Amino acid sequence: MNIPSDLKYTKNDEWLRVEGNQGTIGITDYAQSQLSDIVFVEITVSEGDVVKQGETCATVESVKAAADVYMPVSGKVIAINHSLPEKPEVINRDPYGEAWMVKIEFTNPSELDQLLDAAAYEEHLAQKE
Amino acid sequence: MFLPHTDKERQQMLETIGVKTIEELFAAIPQKYRFPELKLPSALTEMEAQAVISDLASTNDNLQEMICFLGAGAYNHYIPAVVDAIIRRGEFLTAYTPYQAEVSQGTLQSIFDFQSLMTALTGMEVSNASHYDGATAVAEAVTMANAHFRGKRNRVILSPALHPHYRQTVRTYHANTGIEFVGDEPSADLRASPESLAELLNENTALVIVQYPDFFGRIYDYTQLAAKAHQAGALFAVSVNPIALGLLKPPSEFGADIVTGEGQPLGIPLSFGGPYLGIFTTRKEYVRRMAGRLVGETVDNRGQKAYVLTLTAREQHIRREKATSNICTNQGLMALAATVYLSLVGKHGLRQVAELCYHKAHYAADQIKAIEGFSLWSDEPFFNEFVVKSPTPPQELNQKLLEYGIIGGYDLEQDYPSLKGYVMFAVTEMNTKEEIDYLVSTLAEVSHA
Amino acid sequence: MPEPDLCELSVPNRIGFRFPEVDVPCAELPKGLVREHLPLPELYELDVIRRYTRLSQLNHAIDTGYYPLGSCTMKYNPKINEEMARLAGFAAVHPLQPVQSVQGCLALMYELQEWLKEIGGFAGVTLQPAAGAQGELTGILIIRAYHKDRGELQRTKILIPDSAHGTNPATSAMSGMTVVEIKSDERGNTDLDSLRKQCDETLAGIMITNPNTLGLFDENIEEVIRLVHEAGGLVYGDGANMNALLGIVRPGDLGIDVLHFNLHKTFSTPHGGGGPGSGPVGVCDKLVDYLPSPIVTITQEGDEETPPVYGFYTPPKSIGRVKSFHGHFGMMVRAYTYMLMHGKEGLRKVSEHAVLNANYLRARLRNVYHIPYDRICMHEFVAEGRWEDAPEVRALDISKRLMDFGFHPPTNYFPLIVHEALMIEPTETESKQTLDAFADALIRIAEEARTNPDLLKSAPHHTPVGRVDEVKAARDLILACGVSVEEDT
């Protein structure tokens, strides 16, 4: 399972790449492997929306399962990956790169402390199995 | 009774389980409630049950013996013998939802045919595998529009000429979803043109729903109303009688986003109100918001073309409380009946049925309005139903018609207090000219007695 | 060979069916409203018969083979039911005819209401709901209306056990309720501690399936109902599993306030490839005023000479209609026929034998398949389709391999609380020989899983099509074929 060390994680299998006061959100390699072949993704927020931690920002579907993607921390949406819905299979291929979903500007950076680092996320997955 | 075990087999089975009696299997049930004495009669054999039930059936006036001019959402049409020959085949009748594609290709491809025929008929791009009936299909259209706008638009405009049962059902479904229904208040002007509904549009409007032909049989071009709904950012839905679409422009040409309908006229018996068939079609862009089962074409691991339930991740068994709808069972067998009906009558037959309904209804209307004391309520174009002012109270009129072997029209006062004294007649291909003439002469006779 | 697309069979100007010529003067067609193009197929009658006969032969159905699909009660559907529903006195009756012309229909509906009240232990029954899921919606709307009527608007929380069918949470959400999941304990019962924590003034009720989807009768049922009632909530019973309870226990006696029946499961009306169903709802005394309208009632009592007169009535606080007309009357005729042929003793025998058959199969399989919560089950049970020494094999592979033996697979991957679930509901209409053949096949597959797992992974081998590409179906989204676009010339 690929768990890049430079990212933050949630127990719901989202990742967050922190760059200054901005962050990029997607779902982890583990999440995509659990869902298997992803056939649909919908980003449910728009640029400019202010979205709270824990609220839905996207929905992902495979033929067998569906999952909501939640905001790891609160933020204002500054970009969304408009090309992703046309090729949802990218999430299976490149979950941490091309398959990013939403970019935000943090509105409550203290929430970052609640996220897991790579080691803690790996341990969380090990417990789940 | 349908229990195959012999005493000996039962004994062997109990031994394998490791209990002495069947009663022991029910030890988990609280003793004080276990094995209640049901106050019900004892069993009948098939011969006896057949006699009892046939007796009950024979006390009804049925349309093989009576002449029917009643419609109001359920219509007496001819059902070709082929339809029942197919739908009573055990392979279709006793299968369940085709979850296991490898042993369900018959059901799956038939549903694919149904979806194809419904899109052809309505002019829309996608159809689901059916809803319960015309009423619940409209309720699901509201659910879909609500999901489409993520609950941010909460006004739905209902035409007062949408079937009263549909308007009631929609309200029941949405009693707790925060949706406000407008347009069909008792004070609504039933003769106003459909465009007048546009006055109710605002930035909060999710959906406008009209019927085609409308409940009173009238046919309107809804292009203007659809355009105004779209200008306001709302969706536009049309509930149809599918037989009428054999003759009339499909709602896709008006710009409809959702076309629903009651599929009963397509080869499904009246059966005192059900089971019928809910039609639900929409544009491809809304396919994931559409509730209900959906069959898609694909291939199998042997390289053959095959069919399978698709987009199931939208449905309740996976999304649970986040699903758009709780629908699970649909109307599989009724959808099959409509599929066989439309495959058989085809483009020529459906046009012919629709024209027969149209011409006979117009003949009947012309004859009835010529009877002293009767007049037509509307001079708008109509399909196979029309509203008549009766000199005799409709209920009384219908009682008298019954004595003459006629099931009369629908008394509109029960749903529209302003239409006291108005009755609505439906005419289909089943009504011969002789029957219509007999209705006319009987109306003249009983209303002047 | 797969059957061709419908449009490929169409030939321009072929006539399939003729209606009589118009016998009245033709009226002018409505200007600007006539359709120019009707892209329906043009087939001939024998084409249609052969197409759908051949398609039918690609199905597995109860009439062709064993169908132990868990939670669906795929019992034999007696043929007499079909004959009765097709009597002209039922099939050729308009729903809006004057009531004195439909007294036979109303009498049948009234009787059916009475039977269901007696079987379920309820004070009132509506026959209107079209299916189980709509019965659930009706029941939850009734619960909501009851609380609203008492001014308790804050009661919007519905508790649902983690073993529940997906329709339960979906129904609650559709009714504007919030869903809270309740865990199952180690015996497969509702966990009372989790339940107690949720019993507060926002509780609207609980939706409980009993026997639950593990096929187990909830040993805590009385305590569950007591706790919910004490907190001011109501208890909804999902009657999907009533086939275990006929004449065994009445849900109303246990304190269940509202429950839907599935006529297409318990009372033998055919499943029709996915409907029509029929989902009547029974309620306790305090909820009868909220039932959807219309209900059949006696408007004038009869005597020795004259039968009673039946009519419709609308309960005073009715939640309204849930569909058009009076429900799936055709299904009611079938269910009523079935009930008449069973009577009180027969109905109890149905459930006794459904439970006997399930326990027999469980006993035959328990040493080969792991059965979590292994205790006496009711009408169905759940086994795990996985073994440590056959790591590649999954429940789905077992299911697919079963098809090669001529059996329909059990329900897969449900309930969600069992890994690799195989949910098996034998039903009472199957003989010991059929059950033994099915158990033998499952035992043999368990051997194959160790000795030749590829045989399972590549199954089924003897079906009209092999495993289908579901990912392709979802990505391509081909949902209709273009039906005959050729125009007449």
Side-chain angles (χ1 to χ4, degrees):
Chain A
M1 204 61 64
N2 181 12
I3 306 176
S5 59
D6 57 332
L7 303 180
K8 299 265 189 195
Y9 298 90
T10 70
K11 288 187 178 176
N12 267 317
D13 309 311
E14 290 96 8
W15 56 261
L16 178 76
R17 176 174 290 120
V18 181
E19 288 154 308
N21 67 338
Q22 296 184 353
T24 306
I25 298 164
I27 64 169
T28 65
D29 190 30
Y30 173 79
Q32 72 76 20
S33 73
Q34 287 292 302
L35 285 161
S36 77
D37 296 296
I38 289 166
V39 295
F40 175 69
V41 58
E42 182 181 22
I43 296 174
T44 55
V45 293
S46 316
E47 281 105 340
D49 287 357
V50 178
V51 194
K52 284 205 202 87
Q53 184 182 37
E55 288 183 350
T56 307
C57 60
T59 298
V60 179
E61 278 179 26
S62 66
V63 294
K64 291 288 177 220
D68 285 335
V69 182
Y70 302 107
M71 294 285 282
V73 293
S74 307
K76 181 178 171 185
V77 178
I78 52 175
I80 63 174
N81 187 347
H82 288 285
S83 65
L84 194 58
E86 275 120 61
K87 39 179 184 169
E89 62 277 8
V90 169
I91 301 171
N92 294 117
R93 211 177 56 229
D94 188 11
Y96 299 110
E98 208 185 324
W100 68 275
M101 292 172 181
V102 178
K103 280 193 170 68
I104 57 169
E105 201 172 85
F106 305 133
T107 51
N108 186 2
S110 68
E111 288 166 353
L112 290 169
D113 300 340
Q114 300 160 18
L115 301 179
L116 307 177
D117 63 14
Y121 181 60
E122 193 170 358
E123 194 182 328
H124 165 72
L125 292 185
Q127 275 173 8
K128 216 150 86 167
E129 280 298 285
Chain B
M1 275 190 300
F2 307 96
L3 303 169
H5 301 329
T6 63
D7 289 340
K8 188 177 157 201
E9 286 170 334
R10 213 167 0 245
Q11 213 45 51
Q12 287 169 345
M13 292 169 77
L14 289 169
E15 276 163 33
T16 305
I17 298 167
V19 295
K20 294 219 161 46
T21 64
I22 285 185
E23 284 73 18
E24 280 180 56
L25 300 172
F26 298 97
I29 289 160
Q31 200 175 355
K32 63 182 159 181
Y33 304 122
R34 209 186 295 159
F35 306 130
E37 179 69 24
L38 297 182
K39 292 181 202 69
L40 294 172
S42 291
L44 302 182
T45 60
E46 179 177 315
M47 269 174 67
E48 293 163 320
Q50 194 267 358
V52 168
I53 294 166
S54 299
D55 263 1
L56 273 182
S58 69
T59 62
N60 297 319
D61 288 336
N62 76 66
L63 304 188
Q64 289 180 3
E65 293 158 358
M66 308 288 284
I67 300 168
C68 178
F69 291 97
L70 182 56
Y75 300 92
N76 184 30
H77 288 288
Y78 187 75
I79 302 174
V82 169
V83 175
D84 201 47
I86 295 296
I87 71 163
R88 70 188 303 166
R89 288 187 68 87
E91 300 94 325
F92 282 129
L93 185 73
T94 70
Y96 192 37
T97 304
Y99 295 120
Q100 302 285 352
E102 298 86 348
V103 289
S104 310
Q105 286 297 303
T107 297
L108 287 163
Q109 196 170 350
S110 303
I111 295 174
F112 189 79
D113 286 357
F114 174 76
Q115 292 172 184
S116 303
L117 291 162
M118 290 303 118
T119 54
L121 194 58
T122 59
M124 303 303 282
E125 291 164 320
V126 291
S127 162
N128 71 9
S130 71
H131 278 298
Y132 305 132
D133 63 7
T136 60
V138 172
E140 294 279 1
V142 175
T143 306
M144 180 175 133
N146 194 27
H148 174 70
F149 293 110
R150 302 187 207 286
K152 286 174 185 155
R153 287 173 171 244
N154 61 11
R155 167 174 281 206
V156 170
I157 300 174
L158 297 176
S159 158
L162 178 64
H163 196 297
H165 288 186
Y166 299 11
R167 290 184 285 115
Q168 291 163 24
T169 301
V170 168
R171 283 191 166 83
T172 307
Y173 265 59
H174 292 278
N176 305 298
T177 56
I179 294 188
E180 165 208 31
F181 293 98
V182 296
D184 66 335
E185 297 76 10
S187 58
D189 179 2
L190 300 173
R191 290 186 212 245
S193 85
E195 278 86 61
S196 63
L197 288 173
E199 290 161 22
L200 300 167
L201 282 163
N202 61 16
E203 71 287 351
N204 219 3
T205 306
L207 184 66
V208 179
I209 309 172
V210 298
Q211 187 172 326
Y212 177 72
D214 74 12
F215 181 65
F216 305 108
R218 298 174 298 185
I219 40 184
Y220 290 105
D221 186 326
Y222 290 119
T223 309
Q224 294 293 326
L225 180 59
K228 285 179 181 163
H230 290 152
Q231 273 163 25
L235 300 181
F236 186 71
V238 184
S239 170
V240 300
N241 173 348
I243 294 281
L245 296 188
L247 174 66
L248 303 178
K249 262 188 184 174
S252 54
E253 293 186 22
F254 304 144
D257 301 294
I258 303 169
V259 178
T260 64
E262 174 51 72
Q264 177 273 328
L266 303 174
I268 297 169
L270 283 163
S271 281
F272 197 51
Y276 291 171
L277 171 68
I279 295 168
F280 197 106
T281 62
T282 185
R283 297 173 188 275
K284 200 158 188 172
E285 60 186 295
Y286 304 130
V287 65
R288 284 169 191 277
R289 300 276 178 231
M290 176 170 69
R293 301 251 150 83
L294 209 50
V295 171
E297 186 185 302
T298 185
V299 294
D300 73 352
N301 60 4
R302 304 170 200 163
Q304 306 177 98
K305 182 146 88 171
Y307 300 87
V308 67
L309 290 174
T310 193
L311 298 191
T312 55
R314 311 159 4 271
E315 294 187 69
Q316 45 73 28
H317 65 279
I318 290 176
R319 303 232 7 129
R320 299 175 80 83
E321 68 270 22
K322 287 176 183 155
T324 308
S325 164
N326 72 345
I327 190 160
C328 181
T329 296
N330 57 18
Q331 300 290 106
L333 200 68
M334 303 296 105
L336 178 65
T339 302
V340 175
Y341 179 88
L342 282 177
S343 302
L344 178 67
V345 306
K347 72 189 276 184
H348 305 287
L350 195 71
R351 173 77 184 231
Q352 202 188 349
V353 176
E355 286 201 22
L356 284 167
C357 292
Y358 183 88
H359 293 310
K360 285 168 185 266
H362 283 74
Y363 173 73
D366 282 344
Q367 301 297 307
I368 292 171
K369 76 177 179 199
I371 309 169
E372 199 192 322
F374 285 86
S375 59
L376 293 184
W377 172 66
S378 163
D379 53 10
E380 297 288 344
F382 64 96
F383 177 58
N384 74 330
E385 260 176 317
F386 52 91
V387 176
V388 169
K389 168 92 182 140
S390 163
T392 312
Q395 263 208 320
E396 205 178 301
L397 187 73
N398 284 339
Q399 295 299 334
K400 288 179 179 166
L401 290 175
L402 211 51
E403 290 163 26
Y404 287 79
I406 296 172
I407 305 286
Y410 186 73
D411 177 3
L412 288 164
E413 192 194 346
Q414 51 194 308
D415 300 300
Y416 300 93
S418 66
L419 292 180
K420 187 178 164 71
Y422 286 86
V423 61
M424 179 164 71
F425 291 105
V427 186
T428 72
E429 79 281 7
M430 300 292 271
N431 299 111
T432 60
K433 178 172 180 294
E434 288 69 36
E435 290 181 6
I436 297 168
D437 291 342
Y438 175 65
L439 169 72
V440 171
S441 63
T442 311
L443 282 175
E445 191 179 325
V446 302
S447 61
H448 297 108
Chain C
M1 264 300 284
E3 287 298 308
D5 271 356
L6 197 52
C7 46
E8 289 171 38
L9 293 174
S10 182
V11 176
N13 297 316
R14 181 164 278 169
I15 301 291
F17 192 82
R18 285 176 206 281
F19 290 94
E21 292 303 315
V22 60
D23 57 354
V24 296
C26 285
E28 195 190 339
L29 295 180
K31 275 199 189 65
L33 283 164
V34 175
R35 170 169 210 159
E36 281 163 18
H37 180 53
L38 181 60
L40 291 176
E42 298 167 88
L43 309 178
Y44 153 69
E45 181 160 330
L46 185 55
D47 297 337
V48 175
I49 282 288
R50 285 207 179 125
R51 174 181 186 75
Y52 292 103
T53 301
R54 291 215 293 248
L55 282 179
S56 79
Q57 291 166 342
L58 304 179
N59 274 357
H60 184 101
I62 298 168
D63 283 5
T64 70
Y66 190 30
Y67 213 130
L69 187 65
S71 102
C72 298
T73 315
M74 302 299 285
K75 62 170 73 179
Y76 172 60
N77 305 146
K79 296 299 164 193
I80 184 69
N81 294 353
E82 298 303 309
E83 296 302 320
M84 296 299 94
R86 284 167 172 80
L87 290 169
F90 293 140
V93 175
H94 193 288
L96 302 172
Q97 281 180 217
V99 288
Q100 82 262 34
S101 72
V102 293
Q103 286 295 306
C105 293
L106 295 176
L108 186 144
M109 289 175 72
Y110 183 82
E111 286 285 311
L112 185 57
Q113 288 173 190
E114 293 299 306
W115 280 68
L116 291 174
K117 275 157 69 175
E118 180 61 19
I119 289 166
F122 293 114
V125 162
T126 172
L127 301 175
Q128 203 185 40
Q134 214 194 20
E136 286 180 31
L137 178 66
T138 304
I140 295 300
L141 290 172
I142 288 173
I143 288 176
R144 178 86 165 128
Y146 170 81
H147 290 311
K148 268 190 181 172
D149 195 32
R150 292 159 53 91
E152 299 202 286
L153 297 168
Q154 84 288 358
R155 289 194 182 271
T156 56
K157 181 168 68 181
I158 294 280
L159 308 180
I160 297 179
D162 55 7
S163 58
H165 197 270
T167 50
N168 291 178
T171 298
S172 300
M174 256 178 110
S175 316
M177 302 290 211
T178 22
V179 175
V180 175
E181 197 173 88
I182 297 290
K183 291 200 180 339
S184 303
D185 70 14
E186 71 287 353
R187 282 184 63 77
N189 297 317
T190 307
D191 185 71
L192 292 174
D193 286 335
S194 315
L195 175 64
R196 276 192 203 96
K197 284 189 196 122
Q198 296 297 338
C199 284
D200 55 27
E201 72 295 335
T202 66
L203 182 65
I206 187 169
M207 292 185 90
I208 191 159
T209 310
N210 193 26
N212 64 21
T213 58
L214 297 163
L216 302 173
F217 192 88
D218 196 318
E219 295 162 318
N220 297 337
I221 187 71
E222 288 182 282
E223 187 61 6
V224 168
I225 291 172
R226 196 185 65 76
L227 286 170
V228 171
H229 281 167
E230 222 171 65
L234 295 174
V235 180
Y236 184 90
D238 181 326
N241 293 342
M242 272 305 288
N243 208 44
L245 302 184
L246 304 173
I248 305 295
V249 62
R250 307 194 318 160
D253 291 348
L254 290 171
I256 286 172
D257 299 295
V258 47
L259 173 135
H260 78 263
F261 298 88
N262 295 87
L263 298 188
H264 53 289
K265 293 180 181 175
T266 316
F267 299 106
S268 84
T269 76
H271 284 72
S278 180
V281 169
V283 295
C284 67
D285 204 33
K286 64 183 169 202
L287 298 179
V288 289
D289 286 350
Y290 301 90
L291 284 170
S293 58
I295 306 279
V296 179
T297 187
I298 291 178
T299 51
Q300 197 185 312
E301 292 293 341
D303 55 36
E304 307 259 302
E305 327 250 281
T306 47
V309 179
Y310 298 93
F312 289 114
Y313 95 104
T314 299
K317 297 172 180 175
S318 175
I319 59 162
R321 278 186 173 281
V322 295
K323 67 185 298 299
S324 49
F325 308 115
H326 326 304
H328 286 169
F329 179 76
M331 299 296 122
M332 298 173 205
V333 176
R334 291 170 172 91
Y336 183 67
T337 307
Y338 178 84
M339 287 183 186
L340 276 190
M341 288 180 63
H342 283 79
K344 58 182 168 192
E345 307 88 354
L347 291 175
R348 175 169 160 181
K349 283 211 172 74
V350 163
S351 289
E352 286 180 345
H353 285 79
V355 172
L356 175 71
N357 281 2
N359 279 289
Y360 177 68
L361 258 189
R362 186 182 57 85
R364 282 219 49 199
L365 295 172
R366 58 189 297 213
N367 294 325
V368 184
Y369 288 79
H370 177 59
I371 297 178
Y373 316 102
D374 190 17
R375 57 177 166 104
I376 295 285
C377 65
M378 300 301 280
H379 66 307
E380 66 187 351
F381 65 98
V382 180
E384 282 186 3
R386 60 170 184 175
W387 300 276
E388 273 178 21
D389 56 344
E392 323 74 311
V393 170
R394 306 194 60 194
L396 188 73
D397 304 317
I398 298 166
S399 283
K400 300 299 183 195
R401 182 66 181 142
L402 267 171
M403 296 174 185
D404 286 336
F405 291 85
F407 296 113
H408 194 282
T411 297
N412 276 156
Y413 301 115
F414 186 79
L416 307 174
I417 58 173
V418 175
H419 292 290
E420 301 295 321
L422 290 167
M423 186 192 207
I424 302 171
E425 181 177 6
T427 83
E428 75 283 2
T429 57
E430 299 297 334
S431 68
K432 181 169 178 295
Q433 288 70 29
T434 300
L435 301 178
D436 281 333
F438 180 68
D440 292 345
L442 274 172
I443 291 165
R444 185 163 148 199
I445 290 169
E447 282 166 28
E448 289 174 351
R450 275 79 168 204
T451 57
N452 190 0
D454 284 347
L455 195 59
L456 274 63
K457 302 298 286 181
S458 56
H461 307 276
H462 309 308
T463 48
V465 300
R467 289 199 198 188
V468 300
D469 187 343
E470 296 183 47
V471 174
K472 180 179 163 58
R475 287 197 176 139
D476 294 355
L477 276 192
I478 302 171
L479 304 174
C481 68
V483 181
S484 170
V485 289
E486 273 180 90
E487 269 305 276
D488 309 338
T489 44

